[in-house]
Amino acid sequence: MRIAILGAGFTGLSAAYQLLKKGHDVTIFEKENSLGGLAVGFSDPNWDWTLERAYHHWFTNDDAILKLAGEINHKVIIKRPSTDIFIKGKTLPFDNALSLLSFPHLPIVDRIRMGMVIFYLKQINNYKKLEGKKAANWIRKWMGEKAFSLIWDPLLSGKFGEYKNQIALTWFWARIKKRTPKLAYPEGGFQMFADHLGAEIKKLGGKILLNTEVKNIEDLKKEYDKIIVTLPSPVFAKIANLPQGYKKRITSIPHLHAQVLILILKKPFMNKTYWLNITDKNFPFLVLAEHTNFMNPKNYGGQHILYIGNYLPQNHPYLKMDADELLKKFDPFLRKINPTYHSSLITHHLFVGPFAQPVVTVDYPKKIPAFKTPLKSIYLANLDMVYPWDRGTNYAVELGRQVASIVSDE
Ligand SMILES: Cc1cc2nc3c(=O)[nH]c(=O)nc-3n(C[C@H](O)[C@H](O)[C@H](O)COP(=O)(O)OP(=O)(O)OC[C@H]3O[C@@H](n4cnc5c(N)ncnc54)[C@H](O)[C@@H]3O)c2cc1C
């Protein structure tokens, strides 16, 4: 079969790889000038490795993508970087039972309660029994008001803003269940990994057309037997003539855009923290991720890399700011964590990932699109279909594999 795949993120690349192995004729259409989608990277003349525009890592149980890395012989590095929390002006460890038990800002009863609830969630395998419940209400009820307002409310609020009280408990469960203390990372960065996969796709006879935006899906119908769309649903709705009811349903999932400011520094920003959750609601960002406290700075010419991350709704004023304006806004808050960082700042970059985070509300399961669309021979596989897990490249690889097997078998 002649198959067109729209999008060269990990869903598109994975689908292409599987279909080529089954002997199909595959062409990928990608709007940008490189592979990788939301996990796309960039490089610098001083660096040996590429760097993602938005912080990325794998969990050690991300089986689909780790298996794929093994299959194409791409080395994976596994480390245990530190995950901390910034609370009441201090950075505290927040990634194991001991750190929970010694957490200073909660009475011991609440700490034990929080630890037990996290343990309970980790033990649950059948998430279906958690469906229909809202994370905020449930956390408040079982962990207590103090733990909720000190830790979880600010984190839900930072991630989902106005939707924070609507978020499904299954989403929260998946975050707790999936997390592994050790994290994995492809040698050379996600861009090198995507390029490696792209090279394997070409070896198998696949074609990859970069800088090729598909503006109307009808244009491809004559030339291809089947078309797989891996673009965000609102983009799919723009390039295809979809029946009204279907269009309304697939575009009813709200999305947030990811905004990431990257600081390149001469010196480390934090001591050893890789991941810092910010719980102070006055801070204008949600997370700091110091990549070079995870991967060795020598891969980046000895430079240190700090990501400052936010998820924002379409109309948020930060999305209208450029990198300088944003840094000016963030600067007083960054100084609260590292008062002298500015003297070691080399440069900074800004990245916006559109439609990067579907908002997983309690009614989400009803909204998830199917692989088959109402349009003949056109299939959809995008990150809105990842549930209850938090969307990520591991699930993109799984989606790609699933859609490939449906398309190939029909
Ligand atoms: C801030 C942030 C942090 C993340 N952290 C992690 C992490 O730690 N670990 C992890 O595994 N994942 C992480 N992810 C998620 C991960 O990047 C995505 O889930 C995954 O890459 C989705 O892949 P995809 O192929 O489904 O979609 P996308 O990556 O969105 O790919 C879609 C592709 O379609 C292209 N396209 C769009 N319109 C057109 C058109 N009209 N014609 C042709 N091409 C088009 C786009 O350019 C893009 O390349 C993170 C994402 C963000 C934003």
Side-chain angles (χ1 to χ4, degrees):
M1 265 188 294
R2 290 163 309 164
I3 301 169
I5 298 180
L6 277 51
F10 276 94
T11 305
L13 293 174
S14 158
Y17 182 62
Q18 298 303 332
L19 288 164
L20 286 159
K21 284 200 295 181
K22 290 179 190 219
H24 298 292
D25 180 345
V26 177
T27 305
I28 304 180
F29 294 80
E30 169 54 52
K31 167 171 87 112
E32 301 295 336
N33 62 2
S34 45
L35 309 178
L38 287 171
V40 71
F42 65 102
S43 52
D44 179 289
N46 297 306
W47 302 349
D48 297 324
W49 284 16
T50 57
L51 178 76
E52 300 69 56
R53 290 191 191 160
Y55 40 85
H56 272 71
H57 54 246
W58 293 321
F59 295 125
T60 51
N61 55 14
D62 276 343
D63 298 336
I65 203 154
L66 290 171
K67 186 167 167 244
L68 178 63
E71 222 174 295
I72 65 169
N73 231 345
H74 196 104
K75 192 177 166 197
V76 172
I77 296 157
I78 296 181
K79 285 190 171 181
R80 186 178 175 157
S82 67
T83 295
D84 297 337
I85 191 165
F86 188 74
I87 199 155
K88 301 200 174 189
K90 287 224 162 65
T91 296
L92 298 170
F94 198 67
D95 71 345
N96 56 41
L98 192 67
S99 62
L100 281 188
L101 283 176
S102 52
F103 196 70
H105 301 294
L106 283 173
I108 184 73
V109 183
D110 293 82
R111 285 181 243 163
I112 293 172
R113 214 170 145 185
M114 185 161 71
M116 282 169 65
V117 172
I118 291 176
F119 179 77
Y120 166 73
L121 287 174
K122 279 252 182 214
Q123 304 316 304
I124 292 178
N125 291 320
N126 177 13
Y127 65 86
K128 291 268 176 200
K129 65 179 181 183
L130 305 176
E131 272 181 350
K133 296 186 171 73
K134 293 177 180 166
N137 294 349
W138 193 89
I139 299 170
R140 189 182 266 125
K141 178 172 173 191
W142 294 104
M143 291 197 194
E145 186 59 44
K146 284 190 192 127
F148 177 73
S149 53
L150 194 68
I151 300 169
W152 306 105
D153 183 48
L155 294 181
L156 280 171
S157 167
K159 177 107 183 179
F160 291 110
E162 60 175 291
Y163 298 103
K164 67 172 183 173
N165 292 324
Q166 309 304 319
I167 300 308
L169 176 58
T170 46
W171 178 85
F172 183 70
W173 165 81
R175 294 294 297 222
I176 301 278
K177 179 83 181 166
K178 193 72 181 47
R179 217 189 152 275
T180 55
K182 285 189 183 163
L183 301 177
Y185 189 81
E187 188 174 62
F190 278 67
Q191 185 63 59
M192 279 199 198
F193 181 61
D195 290 343
H196 187 167
L197 187 53
E200 295 296 322
I201 286 170
K202 285 186 186 158
K203 259 194 232 162
L204 291 167
K207 291 184 241 14
I208 302 178
L209 308 177
L210 296 176
N211 298 311
T212 311
E213 180 175 1
V214 175
K215 295 202 170 129
N216 187 347
I217 212 161
E218 292 296 320
D219 299 344
L220 303 176
K221 273 187 169 169
K222 266 196 213 124
E223 218 179 309
Y224 296 93
D225 302 307
K226 291 191 175 164
I227 300 171
I228 299 175
V229 178
T230 73
L231 322 179
S233 297
V235 181
F236 178 38
K238 270 196 197 137
I239 63 166
N241 194 7
L242 301 174
Q244 216 42 42
Y246 175 77
K247 180 175 171 177
K248 200 170 161 201
R249 219 188 81 216
I250 63 162
T251 53
S252 68
I253 295 175
H255 290 88
L256 299 172
H257 303 295
Q259 185 185 55
V260 184
L261 185 65
I262 306 173
L263 305 191
I264 311 293
L265 301 145
K266 286 185 211 141
K267 291 189 201 151
F269 184 88
M270 295 183 279
N271 265 346
K272 60 179 181 55
T273 307
Y274 163 55
W275 191 267
L276 187 68
N277 287 308
I278 307 288
T279 58
D280 185 335
K281 281 186 178 171
N282 296 317
F283 269 54
F285 45 83
L286 169 69
V287 69
L288 295 183
E290 188 153 352
H291 182 72
T292 38
N293 282 345
F294 176 31
M295 289 298 116
N296 197 325
K298 79 172 174 16
N299 301 310
Y300 310 92
Q303 297 178 343
H304 296 262
I305 294 156
L306 180 78
Y307 290 105
I308 308 167
N310 258 331
Y311 287 98
L312 305 168
Q314 179 104 42
N315 53 1
H316 198 284
Y318 291 177
L319 289 172
K320 296 190 185 81
M321 292 185 182
D322 64 22
D324 289 333
E325 288 168 327
L326 212 55
L327 182 57
K328 206 168 155 198
K329 175 100 199 147
F330 292 171
D331 177 70
F333 299 90
L334 292 169
R335 284 178 198 267
K336 288 185 190 195
I337 299 168
N338 180 337
T340 59
Y341 85 93
H342 217 272
S343 61
S344 92
L345 183 64
I346 301 168
T347 185
H348 54 296
H349 307 278
L350 181 62
F351 168 65
V352 175
F355 308 109
Q357 176 67 56
V359 179
V360 187
T361 47
V362 268
D363 56 348
Y364 196 84
K366 282 190 234 143
K367 297 181 182 171
I368 301 171
F371 287 111
K372 283 193 200 173
T373 74
L375 304 184
K376 192 167 170 284
S377 306
I378 297 182
Y379 300 79
L380 180 67
N382 70 18
L383 49 79
D384 289 357
M385 292 153 79
V386 176
Y387 172 84
W389 310 107
D390 196 31
R391 52 87 186 107
T393 53
N394 178 59
Y395 297 101
V397 166
E398 235 174 62
L399 271 186
R401 190 173 293 171
Q402 286 167 343
V403 76
S405 103
I406 293 172
V407 166
S408 182
D409 291 350
E410 276 206 339

